[in-house]
Amino acid sequence: QDLPRVIILATGGTIAGAGASADRAGYTAGKIPIDDLIGTIPSVKKIANISGEQIASVGSQDMTIEIWKKLAIRANEIFANNEADAIVVTHGTDTQEETAYFLDLVIPSDKPVVLTGSMRPATAISADGPKNLYDAITVAIHPDTKGRGVLVSFNEGIYDAREVMKMSTTKTNAFDSPNTGAVGQAYDGRVEYYSSSVREVNPPKPIVLTADTKLPRVDIVYMYADASADMIDFLVSKKVDGLVIAGVGNGNFNKAYMDAVKRAVTAGVIVCRASRAPSGRVVLHDEINDDELGTIVSDDLTPQKARVLLMLALTRSKDKKQLQEAFFTY
Ligand SMILES: NC(=O)C[C@H](N)C(=O)O
């Protein structure tokens, strides 16, 4: 009776995937309801009081801002009403890092929120979902997990939401944090931490999210050798609020992009330089003079996470100094 209370918010993904064959061929993500997934790990009843809620049933390539809002609002409600001691989110792996970072930025509670998923569908040989789900629950109820912000628990690794990235398209050790490595390990029902998040996990959050919050439109443009800047001009014509450039190296781009970025900035679009390189930071005023160009930098956030932060920060301010500060804070 005194067991910790965990609510699982399920969104679909391969962990809930089903197919006709024993491998991945032709499976569909998000088919199996959360109560059935909980049924695959009966021994979890000895360590926690578990209940599941189906928030969505999608492959995470179809994750939407609306589902993010639904998840976050329900998580904040659960903690505000003291309905649970911790939350586990089951989620596809393709965009898991974006959802994890989004939740990290909008859930002010210091209670644990742990995401997990799987690489093999539930119907495959050696499906990794049940073990990942069990581990995520052990992470969520561990006393040392409190105050660490949102985490991803996967293949026995524990990763900070801000740092984690999907590194493999098909392998079961799909996640890592290229800049920092894992913060801990879950194994044999045990949880050990090696380190903490590099950023303060609970600074005042960039925004207070409500059902009415409308997130501005921010898109990502990829840079490559001899790229034309048509995509940038097209997106500016679509009246985007922000653009993240997945630049080369230290957030660099060619002359065509440089001219198009100038046009975008003149049109009032906030342009953030990030990098397609998986690790390292994009620093101000290196080969590109951000003051002259009117750009900001992502620091060490990947383009997909820089987009999440820019969307949230833009709801609060359009001031470039403040937006840049957000990238150095969160
Ligand atoms: N392994 C997975 O979960 C991949 C799947 N496409 C998803 O993200 O939902």
Side-chain angles (χ1 to χ4, degrees), residues 12-15 27 29 58-61 91-95 118-120 166:
T14 296
I15 191 167
Y27 82 93
V58 294
S60 73
Q61 57 271 46
H91 195 293
T93 53
D94 288 349
T95 58
S118 81
M119 292 302 283
R120 296 179 184 142
K166 188 173 184 182

Side-chain angles (χ1 to χ4, degrees), residues 76-294:
N76 283 335
E77 184 184 77
I78 287 169
F79 290 143
N81 299 341
N82 191 21
E83 293 175 52
D85 303 303
I87 292 172
V88 167
V89 178
T90 54
H91 195 293
T93 53
D94 288 349
T95 58
Q96 187 161 149
E97 67 213 54
E98 294 172 51
T99 302
Y101 188 49
F102 178 84
L103 294 177
D104 202 27
L105 292 171
V106 298
I107 299 177
S109 171
D110 67 351
K111 285 188 178 177
V113 177
V114 181
L115 280 78
T116 198
S118 81
M119 292 302 283
R120 296 179 184 142
T123 46
I125 292 174
S126 290
D128 50 333
K131 161 86 168 125
N132 281 345
L133 182 57
Y134 188 90
D135 284 349
I137 293 164
T138 64
V139 172
I141 63 176
H142 196 276
D144 292 350
T145 301
K146 204 171 174 197
R148 285 178 176 272
V150 175
L151 300 171
V152 167
S153 171
F154 211 94
N155 197 47
E156 301 198 343
I158 308 170
Y159 305 94
D160 186 69
R162 184 178 185 279
E163 310 298 332
V164 69
M165 184 175 182
K166 188 173 184 182
M167 304 295 281
S168 170
T169 52
T170 56
K171 288 182 179 174
T172 50
N173 63 340
F175 286 92
D176 202 358
S177 297
N179 281 316
T180 61
V183 293
Q185 191 184 355
Y187 64 102
D188 300 340
R190 295 173 57 111
V191 174
E192 303 285 352
Y193 284 102
Y194 319 122
S195 59
S196 298
S197 165
V198 289
R199 290 286 160 94
E200 197 188 339
V201 283
N202 285 313
K205 299 295 175 186
I207 67 164
V208 177
L209 191 80
T210 69
D212 298 329
T213 306
K214 191 157 166 20
L215 292 187
R217 176 168 172 186
V218 177
D219 282 81
I220 300 173
V221 180
Y222 207 83
M223 166 65 198
Y224 43 91
D226 207 20
S228 99
D230 290 351
M231 289 298 287
I232 298 176
D233 289 324
F234 173 74
L235 288 167
V236 172
S237 79
K238 287 278 168 196
K239 307 234 176 314
V240 292
D241 302 286
L243 278 180
V244 174
I245 312 282
V248 286
N250 195 351
N252 287 317
F253 33 76
N254 62 14
K255 291 194 172 56
Y257 270 40
M258 196 69 96
D259 292 341
V261 165
K262 264 186 212 153
R263 292 192 287 276
V265 170
T266 307
V269 177
I270 299 295
V271 182
C272 175
R273 295 193 299 118
S275 179
R276 70 181 203 181
S279 71
R281 3 181 66 84
V282 175
V283 298
L284 281 166
H285 315 140
D286 192 37
E287 290 184 67
I288 290 176
N289 186 328
D290 294 285
D291 285 343
E292 257 175 32
L293 192 57

